[in-house]
Amino acid sequence: MDTVLLLKSAIMGIVEGLTEFLPISSTGHLILAGSLLNFTGTKAQVFEIAIQTGAILAVIIVYWQKIRETLVALPSSRNAQRFSLNVLIAFLPAVLLGLLFGKMIKAHLFTPQVVATTFILGALVIFWAERRPQSAARIHSVDEMTAWDALKVGLVQCLAMVPGTSRSGATIIGGMLLGLSRKAATDFSFFLAIPTLIGAGVYSLYKERALLSAADLPMFAVGLLFSFVSAWFCVRWLLRYISSHSFVPFAWYRLVFGLIVLATWLTGTVVWQE
């Protein structure tokens, strides 16, 4: 296997792991990184989705105690059953809309104008959400959520189908606007990411299986490994960060990055492929 290709895979894995769970959109960052590294094409797009599984493994490890307790108590605990059902309810809208509109979105919305616009609009929404006092939150733990709360967060997650929106940003900031505390919204976003990203990765690999061969295994393995390691550090850092900080710095970051997307497109630094 080409050493340079493995190095590119490692860099892409790091970018995925560091951006997947922050409200800054991994898609935009992967597009830029992939173009700058000349790591593009259909197989690269499958790779970018598949390595999300590594990032999700990091979430599973960080939240393993809660996941284990839920699984053990599931047959007899109403709280465990309600929590599991809420995750399922929040997961379903993205599945349904993804199957219905996924191809259309990929064909028409993966443009620098759309990505830049959603980056900037997302920043403004974060500023708005953070102006609301945390004391106004009515839900301070994922165990307090109702099925209706879960459905609303699931519907908000569908906004992330538009590139540049950020799945984490939609669910965390959307959750905050729907009455969840910063901590509860972040926790539920992580739990919801488990079925969402694993499902997307498995579906993508199955759909494009004809493009892949055994020779691609080292590339995918390196990407998964570095995605996992970087995501593990990022998730642990984010949980400490939100205990005493807001998401406002990420809003400023989104504004700047949106402008960078436009600049790299206008100058031809990044080639946007259909």
Side-chain angles (χ1 to χ4, degrees):
M1 174 61 69
D2 186 353
T3 303
V4 174
L5 180 58
L6 293 181
L7 179 60
K8 292 180 180 180
S9 301
I11 294 173
M12 294 294 285
I14 292 171
V15 172
E16 162 63 25
L18 292 180
T19 59
E20 182 61 53
F21 302 112
L22 300 179
I24 56 176
S25 175
S26 61
T27 301
H29 291 79
L30 288 170
I31 289 173
L32 279 176
S35 181
L36 294 173
L37 293 170
N38 195 27
F39 191 84
T40 57
T42 305
K43 185 178 292 187
Q45 293 172 358
V46 176
F47 171 86
E48 291 170 8
I49 297 175
I51 62 173
Q52 293 175 345
T53 307
I56 281 301
L57 180 58
V59 171
I60 292 173
I61 290 177
V62 170
Y63 282 94
W64 177 244
Q65 183 175 351
K66 170 68 173 177
I67 294 172
R68 180 180 178 279
E69 290 175 353
T70 300
L71 292 175
V72 171
L74 194 57
S76 58
S77 170
R78 291 182 62 84
N79 285 338
Q81 293 166 0
R82 183 174 66 249
F83 170 72
S84 300
L85 182 61
N86 284 346
V87 172
L88 176 61
I89 289 172
F91 168 63
L92 289 178
V95 175
L96 296 175
L97 292 182
L99 292 174
L100 290 173
F101 303 109
K103 288 184 178 180
M104 182 184 70
I105 290 172
K106 188 174 181 179
H108 299 290
L109 297 185
F110 274 76
T111 68
Q113 302 95 316
V114 170
V115 172
T117 299
T118 51
F119 260 93
I120 294 170
L121 289 178
L124 299 179
V125 173
I126 292 176
F127 284 131
W128 175 37
E130 287 291 2
R131 287 179 62 88
R132 296 156 57 96
Q134 280 291 288
S135 58
R138 57 183 177 81
I139 298 172
H140 299 277
S141 167
V142 293
D143 293 323
E144 299 174 11
M145 294 178 64
T146 65
W148 178 235
D149 293 321
L151 178 59
K152 288 188 290 185
V153 173
L155 291 172
V156 170
Q157 179 178 234
C158 294
L159 295 174
M161 295 173 66
V162 180
T165 301
S166 170
R167 192 207 63 82
S168 295
T171 51
I172 294 173
I173 304 305
M176 290 171 60
L177 291 172
L178 292 170
L180 277 68
S181 69
R182 190 180 295 116
K183 177 66 165 59
T186 303
D187 285 341
F188 193 71
S189 174
F190 284 142
F191 287 121
L192 181 54
I194 295 174
T196 301
L197 298 188
I198 288 178
V202 171
Y203 177 73
S204 179
L205 285 173
Y206 175 77
K207 183 180 176 183
E208 305 293 349
R209 61 191 184 280
L211 294 174
L212 307 176
S213 67
D216 297 316
L217 287 177
M219 176 182 73
F220 278 80
V222 169
L224 285 167
L225 174 62
F226 279 87
S227 174
F228 163 73
V229 173
S230 56
W232 186 80
F233 280 107
C234 183
V235 170
R236 288 172 58 86
W237 172 82
L238 183 62
L239 291 175
R240 292 193 301 270
Y241 174 87
I242 63 171
S243 65
S244 57
H245 298 82
S246 75
F247 287 110
V248 168
F250 295 106
W252 287 112
Y253 179 89
R254 289 183 66 103
L255 284 175
V256 173
F257 196 85
L259 295 175
I260 290 175
V261 169
L262 286 179
T264 54
W265 169 61
L266 291 172
T267 58
T269 305
V270 172
V271 179
W272 291 72
Q273 298 183 350
E274 292 293 334

